[in-house]
């Protein structure tokens, strides 16, 4: 599925409650996920939607604790909630446990359209992780205050704009990237999720999305798995970090699935709100999941909790084409 195919006004033509819930799932399905694994299963049952983890698409090596999986699940849940609010629907969210996982149950009590917020719906669709260089413009102070409100009690949020401090953080991130690309198990797993620049791939990261030239995208999976490129990758990833006016860290005192979901929700709401004013976000997962780099990162930010999401934020008008996604009917559990 291409997110550009989602027309927010289509909801106005739907009358059947199940059709409305099915349409909402389109917004959930375009949430960001580590390596674009889309690790969620969806289910409609009467007036409820369940969003559960899909462990078949977990990153067995680089996300052995499933932290990134549940952070991704949080972004999927938040997309659904933001879209539901934007259409004026009334609902209740419960985070539940079963024998094998933590999941979300969203129950709808009113599916009548009311004061549709098209700005939010369009930003859910437009939001995308950005790998471009940001402009030399500061993040507005009023937006930073909004981010603090979004984080609320769900996540600890920390900001760094000081140049000297950013330089130290870039070194930590760069070292974590280099360590990751020196790890054969990591690169073998990553190579399976890098795809040639063809629209047919619904999972993973096609070359055009991550800045790999079209011809090179067909051999890059092999290159990542067989060629030592830790220094090259570090240099490539440090360039956009140096151009970023602000770094942001989301942390939480509790390092378990329910907290991971909450932090993922916070991140996605931030990303959607950022898109509304032209701000873009670029995530780096290595300093969070590789070795103990998260400890140094947390210290540099002055964070009290366990770091869970690190990203740069800034303005740019440049965007790469977005990755295709699985169709909703491929994600629905019968």
């Amino acid at each position: 599925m291409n997110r550009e195919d989602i027309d927010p006004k289509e909801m106005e033509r739907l009358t059947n409650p199940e059709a409305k819930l099915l349409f909402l799932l389109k917004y959930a399905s375009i949430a960001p996920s580590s390596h674009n694994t889309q690790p969620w299963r969806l289910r409609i049952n009467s007036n409820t939607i369940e969003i559960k983890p899909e462990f078949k698409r977990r990153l067995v090596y680089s996300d052995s604790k499933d932290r990134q999986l549940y952070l991704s699940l949080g972004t999927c849940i938040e997309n659904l909630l933001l879209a539901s609010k934007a259409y004026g629907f009334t609902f209740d969210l419960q985070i539940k446990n079963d024998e094998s996982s933590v999941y979300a149950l969203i129950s709808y009590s009113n599916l009548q359209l009311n004061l549709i917020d098209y700005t939010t719906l369009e930003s859910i669709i437009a939001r995308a992780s950005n790998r471009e260089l940001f402009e030399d413009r500061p993040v507005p102070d009023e937006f930073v205050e909004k981010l603090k409100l979004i984080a609320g009690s769900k996540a600890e949020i920390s900001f760094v704009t000081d140049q000297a401090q950013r330089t130290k953080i870039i070194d930590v991130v760069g070292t974590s990237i280099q360590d990751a690309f020196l790890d054969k198990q990591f690169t073998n797993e990553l190579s399976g999720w890098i795809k040639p620049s063809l629209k047919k791939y619904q999972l993973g990261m096609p070359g055009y999305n991550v800045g790999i030239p079209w011809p090179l995208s067909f051999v890059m999976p092999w290159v990542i798995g067989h060629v030592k490129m830790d220094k090259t990758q570090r240099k490539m990833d440090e360039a956009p970090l140096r151009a970023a006016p602000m770094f942001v860290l989301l942390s939480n005192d509790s390092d378990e699935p329910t907290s991971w979901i909450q932090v993922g929700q916070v991140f996605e709401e931030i990303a959607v709100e950022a898109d509304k004013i032209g701000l873009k976000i670029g995530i780096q997962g290595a300093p969070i999941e590789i070795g103990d780099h998260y400890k140094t990162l947390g210290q540099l930010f002055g964070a009290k909790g366990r770091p869970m999401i690190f990203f740069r934020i800034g303005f740019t008008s440049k965007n790469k084409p977005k990755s295709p996604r699985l169709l909703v009917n491929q994600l629905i559990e019968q």
Side-chain angles (χ1 to χ4, degrees):
M1 180 181 73
N2 294 316
R3 66 180 73 192
E4 293 82 0
D5 297 333
I6 303 174
D7 177 8
K9 293 186 177 181
E10 184 180 337
M11 184 69 84
E12 298 179 49
R13 301 188 285 271
L14 302 177
T15 56
N16 181 278
E18 185 171 345
K20 291 182 178 181
L21 296 183
L22 189 62
F23 186 70
L24 284 175
L25 293 184
K26 290 187 177 182
Y27 292 99
S29 71
I30 59 173
S33 58
S34 184
H35 291 11
N36 192 29
T37 52
Q38 303 166 58
W40 40 70
R41 292 181 288 125
L42 313 173
R43 184 179 183 185
I44 296 174
N45 183 10
S46 184
N47 67 329
T48 67
I49 290 175
E50 290 180 358
I51 301 180
K52 292 187 172 184
E54 176 51 271
F55 294 108
K56 292 178 182 177
R57 291 195 290 277
R58 68 192 293 262
L59 299 171
V60 176
Y61 181 72
S62 61
D63 186 31
S64 60
K65 296 183 182 297
D66 292 324
R67 185 182 295 107
Q68 296 297 315
L69 182 149
Y70 277 105
L71 288 167
S72 299
L73 199 73
T75 69
C76 180
I77 293 166
E78 190 61 24
N79 263 13
L80 181 71
L81 301 186
L82 290 173
S84 299
K85 290 176 188 175
Y87 283 116
F89 298 156
T90 306
F91 58 88
D92 175 66
L93 167 68
Q94 293 178 281
I95 302 299
K96 303 178 75 68
N97 289 269
D98 61 19
E99 301 82 10
S100 60
S101 68
V102 178
Y103 67 98
L105 176 68
I106 303 95
S107 304
Y108 290 84
S109 56
N110 184 359
L111 287 170
Q112 296 299 313
L113 297 174
N114 183 35
L115 299 175
I116 301 174
D117 177 4
Y118 283 110
T119 300
T120 294
L121 294 169
E122 289 164 1
S123 287
I124 294 172
I125 296 168
R127 178 228 54 85
S129 298
N130 194 288
R131 299 173 185 272
E132 301 293 336
L133 300 182
F134 292 158
E135 299 167 9
D136 186 19
R137 296 167 55 189
V139 176
D141 291 341
E142 58 270 25
F143 186 76
V144 174
E145 293 305 311
K146 177 179 281 190
L147 299 195
K148 294 177 184 178
L149 292 175
I150 291 173
S153 61
K154 289 183 177 180
E156 175 189 359
I157 189 166
S158 311
F159 309 91
V160 168
T161 57
D162 177 74
Q163 181 62 58
Q165 202 73 346
R166 279 189 288 150
T167 299
K168 293 178 182 177
I169 290 170
I170 290 169
D171 185 63
V172 173
V173 177
T175 302
S176 71
I177 291 167
Q178 203 164 349
D179 286 350
F181 276 80
L182 285 171
D183 186 327
K184 192 66 175 175
Q185 288 179 281
F186 174 88
T187 55
N188 283 342
E189 184 175 65
L190 175 63
S191 67
W193 292 96
I194 298 292
K195 306 297 182 183
S197 290
L198 299 173
K199 293 286 187 179
K200 69 177 184 178
Y201 294 101
Q202 296 172 296
L203 289 164
M205 299 171 286
Y208 60 77
N209 182 253
V210 293
I212 301 173
W214 190 85
L216 189 57
S217 72
F218 290 86
V219 298
M220 186 53 72
W222 182 90
V223 171
I224 290 173
H226 294 83
V227 177
K228 187 173 178 291
M229 52 182 298
D230 56 300
K231 293 180 180 178
T232 300
Q233 191 65 44
R234 176 174 185 163
K235 184 177 180 180
M236 288 171 57
D237 285 357
E238 283 186 349
L241 288 168
R242 296 188 195 287
M246 176 182 283
F247 295 153
V248 184
L249 185 69
L250 296 177
S251 311
N252 196 294
D253 289 335
S254 175
D255 193 22
E256 48 83 30
T258 300
S259 297
W260 300 336
I261 287 173
Q262 289 181 335
V263 174
Q265 287 183 257
V266 169
F267 170 78
E268 186 64 357
E269 186 173 355
I270 288 173
V272 171
E273 287 299 315
D275 185 83
K276 292 179 183 180
I277 63 169
L279 281 165
K280 303 299 179 184
I281 286 173
I283 304 178
Q284 284 287 355
I288 300 296
E289 297 297 341
I290 302 299
D292 288 336
H293 294 293
Y294 72 92
K295 294 180 180 179
T296 309
L297 189 69
Q299 291 169 0
L300 290 170
F301 272 93
K304 297 177 182 178
R306 205 283 186 197
M308 294 186 185
I309 297 181
F310 165 77
F311 60 92
R312 61 191 178 94
I313 185 168
F315 290 99
T316 180
S317 58
K318 298 178 180 179
N319 286 294
K320 291 284 191 305
K322 300 174 179 66
S323 300
R325 301 302 174 93
L326 292 167
L327 299 172
V328 168
N329 62 14
Q330 293 174 288
L331 296 165
I332 288 181
E333 182 182 63
Q334 301 300 324

